Amino acid sequence: MELFVDQFLNLEIMRQALPLLLRGLGMTLLLCLAVIPLGLVGGLAVALVCRSRWRAVRWPAFALIDFFRAVPPLVLLIFIYAGLPFAGIRPSPFVAVCIAFLLNTSSYYGEIYRAGIESIGRGQWEAARSTGLNGFQTLAWVIVPQAVRNVLPDLISNTVEVVKLTSIASVVAMPELLYSADMARSLTYNPSPIVLAAGIYLALLWPCVRLLSRMEHKVAR
């Protein structure tokens, strides 16, 4: 037991590693503030394109959604960070992560939005248009708010996954939480910083998970 505590729960090593991990946490939060809004806005755009009346627009959008949902995010990130330089484009780690997450998460958010929009009855569209609203106003003020409310648990669930997925940014040497914890582990030759990072992720995401659970119970009633 003492060996386990010394190897995985060494409080002194955790105390020493905490400042480095907090800096990494700050970068993780900054990354979340960038990629989550990008994914939400991009997903809404994807959902609207997928509902286009023109097949020439709609079917390529479906193909791209399937492609980016099928490609592992890690592979996509490495391709953007290490592959684009061969085309003369050299994105920074932060930009590479933002692009990769925009392509990946907007595909998932787009499907969620599309399901929400399609859950709104045709009568809502007709009632809104009968009040004098044009198509864009109907969509922005009537349909999208109801659609978001209908799929809010799914949006929150996907957002939690996005936050967890930010840990892959460590592969492009971006100093987020996991990268910082691994640096501390390599300096101390002890896995305790990784355990501390897991605890920070848990403290960050557990309230969101509980909120999601309560919302799902309310929807099920």
Side-chain angles (χ1 to χ4, degrees):
M1 184 64 181
E2 291 182 3
L3 180 61
F4 174 83
V5 172
D6 185 63
Q7 287 295 318
F8 293 96
L9 297 173
N10 191 307
L11 297 181
E12 178 59 24
I13 290 178
M14 288 183 178
R15 184 188 67 80
Q16 295 174 2
L18 184 59
L20 180 61
L21 266 64
L22 289 178
R23 287 196 293 272
L25 175 62
M27 181 58 68
T28 294
L29 294 176
L30 178 62
L31 188 58
C32 291
L33 289 175
V35 301
I36 291 174
L38 281 174
L40 288 169
V41 174
L44 182 58
V46 166
L48 296 179
V49 169
C50 288
R51 290 183 52 82
S52 172
R53 68 183 67 181
W54 296 293
R55 290 187 179 181
V57 174
R58 191 168 66 244
W59 288 111
F62 282 127
L64 288 174
I65 288 174
D66 289 343
F67 175 79
F68 287 118
R69 291 177 69 188
V71 175
L74 182 58
V75 174
L76 184 61
L77 174 58
I78 293 175
F79 175 79
I80 291 172
Y81 183 72
L84 289 183
F86 289 97
I89 303 172
R90 301 182 183 277
S92 66
F94 186 83
V95 171
V97 172
C98 287
I99 295 173
F101 272 67
L102 172 63
L103 296 175
N104 178 262
T105 60
S106 61
S107 299
Y108 287 94
Y109 280 125
E111 288 295 279
I112 295 172
Y113 279 127
R114 187 163 67 90
I117 292 173
E118 292 178 353
S119 70
I120 306 301
R122 191 64 193 173
Q124 293 287 328
W125 293 82
E126 295 171 353
R129 295 302 297 271
S130 69
T131 64
L133 298 179
N134 60 35
F136 177 79
Q137 291 171 329
T138 297
L139 189 66
W141 297 346
V142 178
I143 303 302
V144 170
Q146 293 185 73
V148 170
R149 186 177 66 242
N150 290 346
V151 296
L152 190 57
D154 295 316
L155 289 174
I156 295 176
S157 178
N158 195 70
T159 300
V160 170
E161 294 301 318
V162 171
V163 174
K164 291 189 289 186
L165 201 60
T166 56
S167 61
I168 69 171
S170 61
V171 303
V172 294
M174 188 171 175
E176 46 75 60
L177 181 56
L178 180 61
Y179 182 87
S180 300
D182 193 51
M183 287 288 293
R185 177 201 58 78
S186 65
L187 292 173
T188 60
Y189 301 98
N190 189 288
S192 294
I194 301 293
V195 176
L196 179 57
I200 293 174
Y201 274 117
L202 179 62
L204 182 66
L205 295 174
W206 183 78
C208 297
V209 172
R210 291 307 309 155
L211 174 62
L212 177 62
S213 179
R214 292 186 63 180
M215 292 181 65
E216 288 175 340
H217 282 126
K218 286 183 179 180
V219 171
R221 290 177 181 175

